[in-house]
Amino acid sequence: MHAAFVVFVKEMTDNLRDRRSITMAMVYPLIGPILLSLLLGFVGTTLRIDPDQRLTIAIANDSAAPELVAYFARSGVVIRSLRDDPVAAVQRGQVPFVVVVRERSATDKRLRVQLIADPGRFSTLVPVSRTLDLLRGYGRDTTLATLRAAGLDERAVEPIVIEHENVGRTLSLAALFLNMMAPFLMFTIFIGGVYLALDSTSGERERGSMEPLLINPVSRLEVLLGKLGAAYLFTLIAVAVQVVAFAVMLELTPPQGIGLVDPPGAAHMALVFLLCLPLALFAVTLQVLIAVMTRSLKEAQTYLGLLPLIPSIPGMILVFAPLKTQGLLAAIPTFGQTLLIGQIIRGDGVNALHVLVSIAATLIATAALLAWTARLFEREQAVFAN
Amino acid sequence: MLEVRDLHKSFRGVHAVRGVSFQARDGEVTGLIGPNGAGKTTILRMLYTVLRPDSGTMLIDGVDAASDRRAAQRRIGVLPDVRGLYPRLTAREHVRYFGRLHGMRGAELESRIDRLIALLDMREFADRKSKGFSRGQQMKVALARALVHEPHNVMLDEPTNGLDVATSRAVRQLIGDMRAAQRCVLFSSHIMQEVAALCDRIVILAQGRVVLAGTPDELRRHTGLDDLEEVFMAATGTAAERIAAPDSTLAAAED
């Protein structure tokens, strides 16, 4: 195994001097967490329901409904009387939305109001929804007052009372973001060491340095293991950078905005990293297999550029419809990890047997890939580009 | 000592090497010469174990290179056709990498590297990364790493290809020194003057066969030509068929 170590040390020295390898391992993994924290920050501040912040409602023709204005005022709303054209005012962005009080018709004495809003504007979602609640509340209060005045029971007109209880550890919006971590990690695992895996095999063959290297009295399996080891270490660095970045991001994100009840802690993150260890080995072995199998560096680059998408897609779909690990799903490399990592991060807990099955199955698949790669590496085509 | 017997090799139906036999002895410089496409590089690549022959025997100091690849590899030092350096490693790191792969380490390895750097006049660029090296500098690095383990048998594929006059001379001097040290040197070239100046024995190849082999004097006597370049032209050209079968002292083409 001495030769494998010599090759490993050479590849590490060589690639630590290469900006492309370093970028892949240390900068790319930060993109996911940064993107996610920007999204969380944005959504958190726009959707936050701040109990101290008073709602402002612009009302056009407010003089036609003094009882509604009084109700708003009692509810703590800041009222802004609008004299301009309400549609134009919303379109210009002068006010986020307007409640327009219509003139009552001669036949129907009910109060008619029109809500003018631009639903494309994300930031108006919360105030519009609060305004609708207030309008409904006003309608309900008025009805109840009328019923009580007539001596009737309110239960006659309100046959259903809805109570809502969330049993998840996180609210839905937070869960949505947490679910994105697993596909991001899959992407990182398949991209972190890819440059090294390619450059040290297909690239080395294309530059003509594979030939002198393989004239040395070492087995080709040892050469292969040295190169795999270096690509593996770079991948692990990438995964570690991303896991730490996610942990920092969760630490810094204001939890109330997205309803993050119980963010995953260090122990959760450590378990996620543990699940990534065998998968990263599977990923680099697959990358080296493809590099050795293909005829040119360009061909290998084409396949390896698309490869990270494949394990990420199931996770992206599961963001919206998370699955719980069942039976042998854990045994599928990349998919098993996606499910298990999702569960760990959401705080749902995992079955230890599922973790073991995932690790064992991934290692067995890796051994099979390695055997295949080693066989291909004995071919003459492994030495010469043409 | 290198010995090749009845070597054959085809690539996708093209019979590139057709029953080649020759010997390269210790204390001698043997030149493989032939026009482009004659099979020189293919024969060397089989001998230095990166290509497998379809049939035939290759012995390196008596070790069968096909069945005991690693034992054969320990006995050879090779300068391949493509030098193949790592742009981000320094000249010294190249030599050290190959020394370590040969199981050398520590002070012994470092002093060996220093001696090679002095011998090949590499001090000026020894600790510079190889990106941007001239062809001469690249060849010196590749040669130093081929010789780091002091191999008994040395194979050089077109060692002076693309080099300036001074560097070519230095390489010829080095080859002469290795012969004096009783090593076995086999090198390929397509320049007859270079082969004539250096070689104790010459193996002339054409179309995957040995068409003529022997000492320069034997070749002259056999063809009746004084100039070795004329010998080469006669042997590799249309005249090849007209040359009578060489006597038993000469390794010959086996049709």
PDB file of all heavy atoms in Angstrom, chain B residues 3-9 15-23 32 38-40 43 46 55-58 203-211 251-254:
ATOM      1  N   GLU B   3      16.087  -8.842 -24.502  1.00  0.00           N
ATOM      2  CA  GLU B   3      15.976  -9.786 -25.601  1.00  0.00           C
ATOM      3  C   GLU B   3      14.527  -9.907 -26.038  1.00  0.00           C
ATOM      4  O   GLU B   3      13.623 -10.062 -25.213  1.00  0.00           O
ATOM      5  CB  GLU B   3      16.502 -11.155 -25.147  1.00  0.00           C
ATOM      6  CG  GLU B   3      16.693 -12.092 -26.306  1.00  0.00           C
ATOM      7  CD  GLU B   3      17.323 -13.417 -25.891  1.00  0.00           C
ATOM      8  OE1 GLU B   3      17.711 -13.543 -24.713  1.00  0.00           O
ATOM      9  OE2 GLU B   3      17.389 -14.308 -26.744  1.00  0.00           O
ATOM     10  N   VAL B   4      14.337  -9.827 -27.342  1.00  0.00           N
ATOM     11  CA  VAL B   4      12.990  -9.879 -27.917  1.00  0.00           C
ATOM     12  C   VAL B   4      12.968 -11.016 -28.931  1.00  0.00           C
ATOM     13  O   VAL B   4      13.870 -11.116 -29.762  1.00  0.00           O
ATOM     14  CB  VAL B   4      12.692  -8.533 -28.624  1.00  0.00           C
ATOM     15  CG1 VAL B   4      11.458  -8.643 -29.485  1.00  0.00           C
ATOM     16  CG2 VAL B   4      12.554  -7.409 -27.614  1.00  0.00           C
ATOM     17  N   ARG B   5      11.943 -11.886 -28.804  1.00  0.00           N
ATOM     18  CA  ARG B   5      11.868 -13.009 -29.741  1.00  0.00           C
ATOM     19  C   ARG B   5      10.486 -13.090 -30.390  1.00  0.00           C
ATOM     20  O   ARG B   5       9.485 -13.218 -29.693  1.00  0.00           O
ATOM     21  CB  ARG B   5      12.110 -14.344 -29.002  1.00  0.00           C
ATOM     22  CG  ARG B   5      13.559 -14.565 -28.597  1.00  0.00           C
ATOM     23  CD  ARG B   5      13.715 -15.968 -28.017  1.00  0.00           C
ATOM     24  NE  ARG B   5      14.768 -15.986 -27.027  1.00  0.00           N
ATOM     25  CZ  ARG B   5      14.718 -16.644 -25.882  1.00  0.00           C
ATOM     26  NH1 ARG B   5      13.637 -17.363 -25.586  1.00  0.00           N
ATOM     27  NH2 ARG B   5      15.713 -16.614 -25.043  1.00  0.00           N
ATOM     28  N   ASP B   6      10.479 -12.966 -31.670  1.00  0.00           N
ATOM     29  CA  ASP B   6       9.278 -13.191 -32.484  1.00  0.00           C
ATOM     30  C   ASP B   6       8.059 -12.424 -31.962  1.00  0.00           C
ATOM     31  O   ASP B   6       6.999 -12.993 -31.737  1.00  0.00           O
ATOM     32  CB  ASP B   6       8.980 -14.697 -32.548  1.00  0.00           C
ATOM     33  CG  ASP B   6       8.006 -14.997 -33.688  1.00  0.00           C
ATOM     34  OD1 ASP B   6       7.894 -14.164 -34.612  1.00  0.00           O
ATOM     35  OD2 ASP B   6       7.349 -16.051 -33.643  1.00  0.00           O
ATOM     36  N   LEU B   7       8.228 -11.128 -31.793  1.00  0.00           N
ATOM     37  CA  LEU B   7       7.183 -10.288 -31.232  1.00  0.00           C
ATOM     38  C   LEU B   7       6.167  -9.884 -32.306  1.00  0.00           C
ATOM     39  O   LEU B   7       6.546  -9.466 -33.393  1.00  0.00           O
ATOM     40  CB  LEU B   7       7.855  -9.026 -30.672  1.00  0.00           C
ATOM     41  CG  LEU B   7       7.312  -8.406 -29.404  1.00  0.00           C
ATOM     42  CD1 LEU B   7       7.216  -9.420 -28.291  1.00  0.00           C
ATOM     43  CD2 LEU B   7       8.201  -7.238 -28.998  1.00  0.00           C
ATOM     44  N   HIS B   8       4.880 -10.022 -31.948  1.00  0.00           N
ATOM     45  CA  HIS B   8       3.800  -9.609 -32.861  1.00  0.00           C
ATOM     46  C   HIS B   8       2.831  -8.691 -32.117  1.00  0.00           C
ATOM     47  O   HIS B   8       2.553  -8.913 -30.950  1.00  0.00           O
ATOM     48  CB  HIS B   8       3.017 -10.824 -33.358  1.00  0.00           C
ATOM     49  CG  HIS B   8       3.744 -11.636 -34.384  1.00  0.00           C
ATOM     50  ND1 HIS B   8       3.604 -11.436 -35.732  1.00  0.00           N
ATOM     51  CD2 HIS B   8       4.651 -12.647 -34.235  1.00  0.00           C
ATOM     52  CE1 HIS B   8       4.367 -12.301 -36.394  1.00  0.00           C
ATOM     53  NE2 HIS B   8       5.013 -13.050 -35.499  1.00  0.00           N
ATOM     54  N   LYS B   9       2.316  -7.704 -32.846  1.00  0.00           N
ATOM     55  CA  LYS B   9       1.292  -6.843 -32.251  1.00  0.00           C
ATOM     56  C   LYS B   9       0.427  -6.228 -33.338  1.00  0.00           C
ATOM     57  O   LYS B   9       0.928  -5.686 -34.320  1.00  0.00           O
ATOM     58  CB  LYS B   9       1.952  -5.706 -31.451  1.00  0.00           C
ATOM     59  CG  LYS B   9       0.987  -4.732 -30.812  1.00  0.00           C
ATOM     60  CD  LYS B   9       0.310  -5.328 -29.594  1.00  0.00           C
ATOM     61  CE  LYS B   9      -0.682  -4.374 -28.949  1.00  0.00           C
ATOM     62  NZ  LYS B   9      -1.464  -5.050 -27.885  1.00  0.00           N
ATOM     63  N   HIS B  15      -1.462  -4.988 -38.622  1.00  0.00           N
ATOM     64  CA  HIS B  15      -0.370  -5.775 -38.071  1.00  0.00           C
ATOM     65  C   HIS B  15       0.856  -4.883 -37.959  1.00  0.00           C
ATOM     66  O   HIS B  15       1.630  -4.749 -38.907  1.00  0.00           O
ATOM     67  CB  HIS B  15      -0.106  -6.966 -39.003  1.00  0.00           C
ATOM     68  CG  HIS B  15       0.556  -8.110 -38.309  1.00  0.00           C
ATOM     69  ND1 HIS B  15       0.641  -9.363 -38.868  1.00  0.00           N
ATOM     70  CD2 HIS B  15       1.157  -8.213 -37.100  1.00  0.00           C
ATOM     71  CE1 HIS B  15       1.280 -10.167 -38.022  1.00  0.00           C
ATOM     72  NE2 HIS B  15       1.597  -9.490 -36.953  1.00  0.00           N
ATOM     73  N   ALA B  16       1.029  -4.225 -36.804  1.00  0.00           N
ATOM     74  CA  ALA B  16       2.048  -3.173 -36.666  1.00  0.00           C
ATOM     75  C   ALA B  16       3.443  -3.748 -36.434  1.00  0.00           C
ATOM     76  O   ALA B  16       4.432  -3.180 -36.892  1.00  0.00           O
ATOM     77  CB  ALA B  16       1.672  -2.231 -35.526  1.00  0.00           C
ATOM     78  N   VAL B  17       3.527  -4.847 -35.691  1.00  0.00           N
ATOM     79  CA  VAL B  17       4.817  -5.480 -35.424  1.00  0.00           C
ATOM     80  C   VAL B  17       4.711  -6.942 -35.851  1.00  0.00           C
ATOM     81  O   VAL B  17       3.822  -7.659 -35.403  1.00  0.00           O
ATOM     82  CB  VAL B  17       5.196  -5.362 -33.927  1.00  0.00           C
ATOM     83  CG1 VAL B  17       6.488  -6.112 -33.633  1.00  0.00           C
ATOM     84  CG2 VAL B  17       5.333  -3.899 -33.530  1.00  0.00           C
ATOM     85  N   ARG B  18       5.612  -7.362 -36.754  1.00  0.00           N
ATOM     86  CA  ARG B  18       5.450  -8.675 -37.397  1.00  0.00           C
ATOM     87  C   ARG B  18       6.665  -9.563 -37.171  1.00  0.00           C
ATOM     88  O   ARG B  18       7.546  -9.616 -38.014  1.00  0.00           O
ATOM     89  CB  ARG B  18       5.253  -8.487 -38.897  1.00  0.00           C
ATOM     90  CG  ARG B  18       4.185  -7.471 -39.232  1.00  0.00           C
ATOM     91  CD  ARG B  18       4.243  -7.136 -40.709  1.00  0.00           C
ATOM     92  NE  ARG B  18       3.116  -6.292 -41.062  1.00  0.00           N
ATOM     93  CZ  ARG B  18       2.490  -6.349 -42.217  1.00  0.00           C
ATOM     94  NH1 ARG B  18       2.891  -7.179 -43.171  1.00  0.00           N
ATOM     95  NH2 ARG B  18       1.477  -5.558 -42.459  1.00  0.00           N
ATOM     96  N   GLY B  19       6.718 -10.184 -36.024  1.00  0.00           N
ATOM     97  CA  GLY B  19       7.775 -11.152 -35.772  1.00  0.00           C
ATOM     98  C   GLY B  19       9.141 -10.529 -35.598  1.00  0.00           C
ATOM     99  O   GLY B  19      10.094 -10.913 -36.275  1.00  0.00           O
ATOM    100  N   VAL B  20       9.233  -9.581 -34.681  1.00  0.00           N
ATOM    101  CA  VAL B  20      10.507  -8.893 -34.461  1.00  0.00           C
ATOM    102  C   VAL B  20      11.342  -9.642 -33.416  1.00  0.00           C
ATOM    103  O   VAL B  20      10.824 -10.048 -32.370  1.00  0.00           O
ATOM    104  CB  VAL B  20      10.256  -7.442 -34.006  1.00  0.00           C
ATOM    105  CG1 VAL B  20      11.524  -6.815 -33.426  1.00  0.00           C
ATOM    106  CG2 VAL B  20       9.751  -6.605 -35.178  1.00  0.00           C
ATOM    107  N   SER B  21      12.626  -9.831 -33.716  1.00  0.00           N
ATOM    108  CA  SER B  21      13.566 -10.420 -32.753  1.00  0.00           C
ATOM    109  C   SER B  21      14.848  -9.592 -32.767  1.00  0.00           C
ATOM    110  O   SER B  21      15.313  -9.199 -33.836  1.00  0.00           O
ATOM    111  CB  SER B  21      13.923 -11.855 -33.161  1.00  0.00           C
ATOM    112  OG  SER B  21      12.766 -12.652 -33.212  1.00  0.00           O
ATOM    113  N   PHE B  22      15.408  -9.309 -31.604  1.00  0.00           N
ATOM    114  CA  PHE B  22      16.737  -8.698 -31.523  1.00  0.00           C
ATOM    115  C   PHE B  22      17.207  -8.759 -30.080  1.00  0.00           C
ATOM    116  O   PHE B  22      16.438  -9.110 -29.175  1.00  0.00           O
ATOM    117  CB  PHE B  22      16.748  -7.259 -32.057  1.00  0.00           C
ATOM    118  CG  PHE B  22      15.936  -6.284 -31.262  1.00  0.00           C
ATOM    119  CD1 PHE B  22      16.472  -5.632 -30.150  1.00  0.00           C
ATOM    120  CD2 PHE B  22      14.620  -5.997 -31.622  1.00  0.00           C
ATOM    121  CE1 PHE B  22      15.722  -4.739 -29.423  1.00  0.00           C
ATOM    122  CE2 PHE B  22      13.860  -5.094 -30.890  1.00  0.00           C
ATOM    123  CZ  PHE B  22      14.404  -4.477 -29.789  1.00  0.00           C
ATOM    124  N   GLN B  23      18.469  -8.407 -29.884  1.00  0.00           N
ATOM    125  CA  GLN B  23      19.046  -8.360 -28.539  1.00  0.00           C
ATOM    126  C   GLN B  23      19.697  -7.004 -28.323  1.00  0.00           C
ATOM    127  O   GLN B  23      20.227  -6.420 -29.260  1.00  0.00           O
ATOM    128  CB  GLN B  23      20.158  -9.406 -28.404  1.00  0.00           C
ATOM    129  CG  GLN B  23      19.665 -10.795 -28.142  1.00  0.00           C
ATOM    130  CD  GLN B  23      20.825 -11.730 -27.869  1.00  0.00           C
ATOM    131  OE1 GLN B  23      21.989 -11.321 -27.887  1.00  0.00           O
ATOM    132  NE2 GLN B  23      20.511 -12.984 -27.598  1.00  0.00           N
ATOM    133  N   LEU B  32      17.494   1.484 -32.364  1.00  0.00           N
ATOM    134  CA  LEU B  32      16.362   1.017 -33.187  1.00  0.00           C
ATOM    135  C   LEU B  32      16.089   2.137 -34.161  1.00  0.00           C
ATOM    136  O   LEU B  32      15.749   3.251 -33.747  1.00  0.00           O
ATOM    137  CB  LEU B  32      15.118   0.842 -32.320  1.00  0.00           C
ATOM    138  CG  LEU B  32      14.835  -0.464 -31.603  1.00  0.00           C
ATOM    139  CD1 LEU B  32      13.498  -0.346 -30.882  1.00  0.00           C
ATOM    140  CD2 LEU B  32      14.804  -1.634 -32.575  1.00  0.00           C
ATOM    141  N   ALA B  38       7.378   2.577 -38.580  1.00  0.00           N
ATOM    142  CA  ALA B  38       8.048   1.282 -38.735  1.00  0.00           C
ATOM    143  C   ALA B  38       7.774   0.351 -37.557  1.00  0.00           C
ATOM    144  O   ALA B  38       7.980  -0.854 -37.658  1.00  0.00           O
ATOM    145  CB  ALA B  38       9.544   1.490 -38.889  1.00  0.00           C
ATOM    146  N   GLY B  39       7.300   0.930 -36.416  1.00  0.00           N
ATOM    147  CA  GLY B  39       6.994   0.102 -35.252  1.00  0.00           C
ATOM    148  C   GLY B  39       7.954   0.287 -34.097  1.00  0.00           C
ATOM    149  O   GLY B  39       7.886  -0.464 -33.116  1.00  0.00           O
ATOM    150  N   LYS B  40       8.824   1.303 -34.164  1.00  0.00           N
ATOM    151  CA  LYS B  40       9.825   1.519 -33.095  1.00  0.00           C
ATOM    152  C   LYS B  40       9.164   1.750 -31.735  1.00  0.00           C
ATOM    153  O   LYS B  40       9.482   1.076 -30.752  1.00  0.00           O
ATOM    154  CB  LYS B  40      10.693   2.757 -33.407  1.00  0.00           C
ATOM    155  CG  LYS B  40      11.436   2.722 -34.724  1.00  0.00           C
ATOM    156  CD  LYS B  40      12.347   3.930 -34.862  1.00  0.00           C
ATOM    157  CE  LYS B  40      11.631   5.259 -35.007  1.00  0.00           C
ATOM    158  NZ  LYS B  40      10.943   5.467 -36.298  1.00  0.00           N
ATOM    159  N   ILE B  43       7.294  -1.314 -30.353  1.00  0.00           N
ATOM    160  CA  ILE B  43       8.195  -2.325 -29.796  1.00  0.00           C
ATOM    161  C   ILE B  43       8.700  -1.889 -28.418  1.00  0.00           C
ATOM    162  O   ILE B  43       8.675  -2.656 -27.454  1.00  0.00           O
ATOM    163  CB  ILE B  43       9.379  -2.571 -30.764  1.00  0.00           C
ATOM    164  CG1 ILE B  43       8.869  -3.236 -32.039  1.00  0.00           C
ATOM    165  CG2 ILE B  43      10.457  -3.431 -30.102  1.00  0.00           C
ATOM    166  CD1 ILE B  43       9.875  -3.245 -33.182  1.00  0.00           C
ATOM    167  N   MET B  46       6.007  -2.228 -25.786  1.00  0.00           N
ATOM    168  CA  MET B  46       5.820  -3.610 -25.330  1.00  0.00           C
ATOM    169  C   MET B  46       6.935  -3.985 -24.362  1.00  0.00           C
ATOM    170  O   MET B  46       6.689  -4.571 -23.316  1.00  0.00           O
ATOM    171  CB  MET B  46       5.782  -4.560 -26.524  1.00  0.00           C
ATOM    172  CG  MET B  46       4.467  -4.461 -27.298  1.00  0.00           C
ATOM    173  SD  MET B  46       4.267  -5.750 -28.533  1.00  0.00           S
ATOM    174  CE  MET B  46       5.217  -5.132 -29.883  1.00  0.00           C
ATOM    175  N   SER B  55       1.874 -12.007 -29.390  1.00  0.00           N
ATOM    176  CA  SER B  55       2.661 -13.220 -29.165  1.00  0.00           C
ATOM    177  C   SER B  55       4.130 -12.850 -29.167  1.00  0.00           C
ATOM    178  O   SER B  55       4.500 -11.736 -29.543  1.00  0.00           O
ATOM    179  CB  SER B  55       2.370 -14.265 -30.256  1.00  0.00           C
ATOM    180  OG  SER B  55       2.800 -13.768 -31.496  1.00  0.00           O
ATOM    181  N   GLY B  56       4.968 -13.792 -28.735  1.00  0.00           N
ATOM    182  CA  GLY B  56       6.407 -13.505 -28.666  1.00  0.00           C
ATOM    183  C   GLY B  56       6.876 -13.419 -27.224  1.00  0.00           C
ATOM    184  O   GLY B  56       6.069 -13.424 -26.297  1.00  0.00           O
ATOM    185  N   THR B  57       8.197 -13.348 -27.065  1.00  0.00           N
ATOM    186  CA  THR B  57       8.801 -13.328 -25.739  1.00  0.00           C
ATOM    187  C   THR B  57       9.654 -12.077 -25.590  1.00  0.00           C
ATOM    188  O   THR B  57      10.328 -11.664 -26.534  1.00  0.00           O
ATOM    189  CB  THR B  57       9.716 -14.561 -25.558  1.00  0.00           C
ATOM    190  OG1 THR B  57       8.970 -15.713 -25.952  1.00  0.00           O
ATOM    191  CG2 THR B  57      10.175 -14.716 -24.130  1.00  0.00           C
ATOM    192  N   MET B  58       9.602 -11.482 -24.377  1.00  0.00           N
ATOM    193  CA  MET B  58      10.473 -10.343 -24.080  1.00  0.00           C
ATOM    194  C   MET B  58      11.158 -10.639 -22.760  1.00  0.00           C
ATOM    195  O   MET B  58      10.487 -10.859 -21.740  1.00  0.00           O
ATOM    196  CB  MET B  58       9.650  -9.072 -23.927  1.00  0.00           C
ATOM    197  CG  MET B  58       8.794  -8.748 -25.143  1.00  0.00           C
ATOM    198  SD  MET B  58       7.721  -7.328 -24.828  1.00  0.00           S
ATOM    199  CE  MET B  58       6.761  -7.899 -23.448  1.00  0.00           C
ATOM    200  N   VAL B 203      19.579  -1.839 -35.228  1.00  0.00           N
ATOM    201  CA  VAL B 203      18.488  -2.691 -35.712  1.00  0.00           C
ATOM    202  C   VAL B 203      17.632  -1.811 -36.611  1.00  0.00           C
ATOM    203  O   VAL B 203      17.061  -0.816 -36.151  1.00  0.00           O
ATOM    204  CB  VAL B 203      17.645  -3.233 -34.531  1.00  0.00           C
ATOM    205  CG1 VAL B 203      16.490  -4.077 -35.049  1.00  0.00           C
ATOM    206  CG2 VAL B 203      18.526  -4.042 -33.580  1.00  0.00           C
ATOM    207  N   ILE B 204      17.596  -2.129 -37.893  1.00  0.00           N
ATOM    208  CA  ILE B 204      16.824  -1.309 -38.832  1.00  0.00           C
ATOM    209  C   ILE B 204      15.458  -1.951 -39.031  1.00  0.00           C
ATOM    210  O   ILE B 204      15.340  -3.139 -39.344  1.00  0.00           O
ATOM    211  CB  ILE B 204      17.550  -1.161 -40.188  1.00  0.00           C
ATOM    212  CG1 ILE B 204      18.938  -0.537 -39.959  1.00  0.00           C
ATOM    213  CG2 ILE B 204      16.720  -0.298 -41.138  1.00  0.00           C
ATOM    214  CD1 ILE B 204      19.748  -0.358 -41.232  1.00  0.00           C
ATOM    215  N   LEU B 205      14.405  -1.135 -38.796  1.00  0.00           N
ATOM    216  CA  LEU B 205      13.029  -1.628 -38.911  1.00  0.00           C
ATOM    217  C   LEU B 205      12.334  -0.993 -40.103  1.00  0.00           C
ATOM    218  O   LEU B 205      12.580   0.175 -40.419  1.00  0.00           O
ATOM    219  CB  LEU B 205      12.227  -1.242 -37.660  1.00  0.00           C
ATOM    220  CG  LEU B 205      12.653  -1.855 -36.334  1.00  0.00           C
ATOM    221  CD1 LEU B 205      12.087  -1.011 -35.196  1.00  0.00           C
ATOM    222  CD2 LEU B 205      12.158  -3.280 -36.220  1.00  0.00           C
ATOM    223  N   ALA B 206      11.469  -1.746 -40.747  1.00  0.00           N
ATOM    224  CA  ALA B 206      10.585  -1.181 -41.764  1.00  0.00           C
ATOM    225  C   ALA B 206       9.306  -2.004 -41.769  1.00  0.00           C
ATOM    226  O   ALA B 206       9.368  -3.237 -41.735  1.00  0.00           O
ATOM    227  CB  ALA B 206      11.242  -1.203 -43.135  1.00  0.00           C
ATOM    228  N   GLN B 207       8.192  -1.334 -41.757  1.00  0.00           N
ATOM    229  CA  GLN B 207       6.872  -1.970 -41.808  1.00  0.00           C
ATOM    230  C   GLN B 207       6.731  -3.105 -40.795  1.00  0.00           C
ATOM    231  O   GLN B 207       6.234  -4.190 -41.112  1.00  0.00           O
ATOM    232  CB  GLN B 207       6.601  -2.476 -43.221  1.00  0.00           C
ATOM    233  CG  GLN B 207       6.454  -1.317 -44.180  1.00  0.00           C
ATOM    234  CD  GLN B 207       6.501  -1.708 -45.633  1.00  0.00           C
ATOM    235  OE1 GLN B 207       6.957  -2.813 -45.962  1.00  0.00           O
ATOM    236  NE2 GLN B 207       6.031  -0.843 -46.490  1.00  0.00           N
ATOM    237  N   GLY B 208       7.178  -2.844 -39.576  1.00  0.00           N
ATOM    238  CA  GLY B 208       6.973  -3.808 -38.494  1.00  0.00           C
ATOM    239  C   GLY B 208       7.927  -4.994 -38.509  1.00  0.00           C
ATOM    240  O   GLY B 208       7.719  -5.943 -37.756  1.00  0.00           O
ATOM    241  N   ARG B 209       8.939  -4.953 -39.365  1.00  0.00           N
ATOM    242  CA  ARG B 209       9.894  -6.072 -39.409  1.00  0.00           C
ATOM    243  C   ARG B 209      11.314  -5.561 -39.223  1.00  0.00           C
ATOM    244  O   ARG B 209      11.607  -4.412 -39.565  1.00  0.00           O
ATOM    245  CB  ARG B 209       9.846  -6.777 -40.762  1.00  0.00           C
ATOM    246  CG  ARG B 209       8.572  -7.525 -41.043  1.00  0.00           C
ATOM    247  CD  ARG B 209       8.754  -8.351 -42.313  1.00  0.00           C
ATOM    248  NE  ARG B 209       7.569  -9.146 -42.583  1.00  0.00           N
ATOM    249  CZ  ARG B 209       6.538  -8.722 -43.303  1.00  0.00           C
ATOM    250  NH1 ARG B 209       6.546  -7.500 -43.812  1.00  0.00           N
ATOM    251  NH2 ARG B 209       5.497  -9.499 -43.490  1.00  0.00           N
ATOM    252  N   VAL B 210      12.208  -6.453 -38.743  1.00  0.00           N
ATOM    253  CA  VAL B 210      13.632  -6.116 -38.743  1.00  0.00           C
ATOM    254  C   VAL B 210      14.141  -6.436 -40.146  1.00  0.00           C
ATOM    255  O   VAL B 210      14.050  -7.578 -40.600  1.00  0.00           O
ATOM    256  CB  VAL B 210      14.409  -6.948 -37.705  1.00  0.00           C
ATOM    257  CG1 VAL B 210      15.908  -6.657 -37.802  1.00  0.00           C
ATOM    258  CG2 VAL B 210      13.914  -6.640 -36.298  1.00  0.00           C
ATOM    259  N   VAL B 211      14.612  -5.406 -40.839  1.00  0.00           N
ATOM    260  CA  VAL B 211      15.102  -5.668 -42.194  1.00  0.00           C
ATOM    261  C   VAL B 211      16.611  -5.880 -42.220  1.00  0.00           C
ATOM    262  O   VAL B 211      17.144  -6.517 -43.129  1.00  0.00           O
ATOM    263  CB  VAL B 211      14.697  -4.565 -43.193  1.00  0.00           C
ATOM    264  CG1 VAL B 211      13.200  -4.632 -43.481  1.00  0.00           C
ATOM    265  CG2 VAL B 211      15.091  -3.189 -42.692  1.00  0.00           C
ATOM    266  N   ALA B 251      20.819 -10.583 -36.242  1.00  0.00           N
ATOM    267  CA  ALA B 251      19.388 -10.822 -36.007  1.00  0.00           C
ATOM    268  C   ALA B 251      18.669 -10.329 -37.246  1.00  0.00           C
ATOM    269  O   ALA B 251      19.007  -9.303 -37.807  1.00  0.00           O
ATOM    270  CB  ALA B 251      18.934 -10.039 -34.784  1.00  0.00           C
ATOM    271  N   ALA B 252      17.730 -11.093 -37.687  1.00  0.00           N
ATOM    272  CA  ALA B 252      17.138 -10.743 -38.974  1.00  0.00           C
ATOM    273  C   ALA B 252      15.622 -10.773 -38.918  1.00  0.00           C
ATOM    274  O   ALA B 252      15.012 -11.246 -37.970  1.00  0.00           O
ATOM    275  CB  ALA B 252      17.630 -11.720 -40.036  1.00  0.00           C
ATOM    276  N   ALA B 253      15.075 -10.243 -39.945  1.00  0.00           N
ATOM    277  CA  ALA B 253      13.625 -10.282 -40.077  1.00  0.00           C
ATOM    278  C   ALA B 253      13.204 -11.719 -40.277  1.00  0.00           C
ATOM    279  O   ALA B 253      13.860 -12.474 -40.973  1.00  0.00           O
ATOM    280  CB  ALA B 253      13.206  -9.456 -41.283  1.00  0.00           C
ATOM    281  N   GLU B 254      12.132 -12.076 -39.634  1.00  0.00           N
ATOM    282  CA  GLU B 254      11.632 -13.438 -39.785  1.00  0.00           C
ATOM    283  C   GLU B 254      10.299 -13.386 -40.489  1.00  0.00           C
ATOM    284  O   GLU B 254       9.281 -13.023 -39.904  1.00  0.00           O
ATOM    285  CB  GLU B 254      11.501 -14.093 -38.409  1.00  0.00           C
ATOM    286  CG  GLU B 254      12.857 -14.272 -37.766  1.00  0.00           C
ATOM    287  CD  GLU B 254      12.735 -14.768 -36.341  1.00  0.00           C
ATOM    288  OE1 GLU B 254      11.646 -15.223 -35.965  1.00  0.00           O
ATOM    289  OE2 GLU B 254      13.728 -14.703 -35.627  1.00  0.00           O
TER     290      GLU B 254
END
